[in-house]
């Protein structure tokens, strides 16, 4: 048992060998070991409680609202919950495909290959309200899936953005023949290993 300024954490072993880490009003998360439970408390959950006392503005505030929504909707996500959330995220891509009039018979990879070299999707094909709805829903479902998996999404996103910024050379983007931004000579890939929570040990 550990007592902090924001409450008490209790870790109890279950008959199946897993551990439940209890916090708040009966909420809990399941872990494979005591060490992984302690790590989650020390590096993810407890720091998040401290962050609630600081004002966050702009896009980060919106993302934090998704985090709070995810923790409220699924305070103790199971493998079933995670599979359902992955399915929800996949559904949002299909909604985007429909909203822009993309070929419904092609895989995502086939669509990417096609639209890197063609202009088949035009403004006239767009249902703009449906497009912006699908894009926002993809952000929402992706962020929620990351939170349910125990990932430090704030840290990970910041590093991915920083890595993308490093693609530029002398402040300019290097473009491929299809117009895709390429990795420049100063590119540094994001380090994300320490952003992975308990579920990342599968």
């Amino acid at each position: 048992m550990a007592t902090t300024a924001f409450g008490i954490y209790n870790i109890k072993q279950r008959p199946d060998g897993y551990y439940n880490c209890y916090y708040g009003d009966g909420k809990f998360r399941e872990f494979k070991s005591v060490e992984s439970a302690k790590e989650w408390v020390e590096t993810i959950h407890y720091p998040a409680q401290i962050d609630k006392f600081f004002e966050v503005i702009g896009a980060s505030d919106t993302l934090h609202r998704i985090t709070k929504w995810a923790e409220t909707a699924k305070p103790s996500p199971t493998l079933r919950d995670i599979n359902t959330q992955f399915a929800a995220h996949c559904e949002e891509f299909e909604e985007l495909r429909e909203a822009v009039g993309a070929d419904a018979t092609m895989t995502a990879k086939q669509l990417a290959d096609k639209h890197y070299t063609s202009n088949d999707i035009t403004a006239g094909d767009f249902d703009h309200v449906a497009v912006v709805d699908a894009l926002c829903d993809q952000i929402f479902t992706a962020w929620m899936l990351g939170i349910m998996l125990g990932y430090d999404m704030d840290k990970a996103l910041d590093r991915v953005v920083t890595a993308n910024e490093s693609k530029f050379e002398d402040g300019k983007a290097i473009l491929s023949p299809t117009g895709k931004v390429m990795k420049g000579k100063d590119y540094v890939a994001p380090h994300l290993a320490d952003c992975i929570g308990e579920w990342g040990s599968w």
Side-chain angles (χ1 to χ4, degrees), residues 32-162:
K32 295 180 179 178
S33 66
V34 172
E35 290 71 23
S36 59
K38 288 181 177 179
E39 182 179 0
W40 174 76
V41 170
E42 294 172 356
T43 64
I44 296 177
H45 191 265
Y46 183 66
Q49 307 315 301
I50 297 175
D51 288 344
K52 292 177 182 178
F53 288 82
F54 294 87
E55 180 180 7
V56 184
I57 60 174
S60 292
D61 182 51
T62 301
L63 295 175
H64 277 265
R65 287 167 58 197
I66 299 175
T67 298
K68 183 176 180 181
W69 193 94
E71 292 175 343
T72 300
K74 300 288 183 178
S76 304
T78 63
L79 292 178
R80 177 68 263 153
D81 294 327
I82 290 168
N83 277 272
T84 297
Q85 187 60 27
F86 173 73
H89 186 55
C90 292
E91 283 182 350
E92 298 308 332
F93 173 76
E94 287 304 311
E95 289 192 10
L96 178 63
R97 183 204 299 262
E98 293 175 8
V100 301
D103 189 337
T105 67
M106 301 178 72
T107 66
K109 179 63 166 61
Q110 289 171 331
L111 282 172
D113 291 341
K114 175 182 178 181
H115 292 288
Y116 271 134
T117 58
S118 73
N119 295 318
D120 286 359
I121 292 179
T122 64
D125 298 319
F126 274 54
D127 177 342
H128 289 284
V129 173
V131 169
V132 71
D133 178 63
L135 290 173
C136 290
D137 282 343
Q138 284 188 71
I139 295 170
F140 192 101
T141 56
W143 192 269
M144 183 171 174
L145 179 58
I147 295 301
M148 291 174 68
L149 286 165
Y151 300 165
D152 187 336
M153 294 295 286
D154 287 286
K155 183 190 294 184
L157 182 61
D158 179 71
R159 291 180 181 177
V160 169
V161 171
T162 298

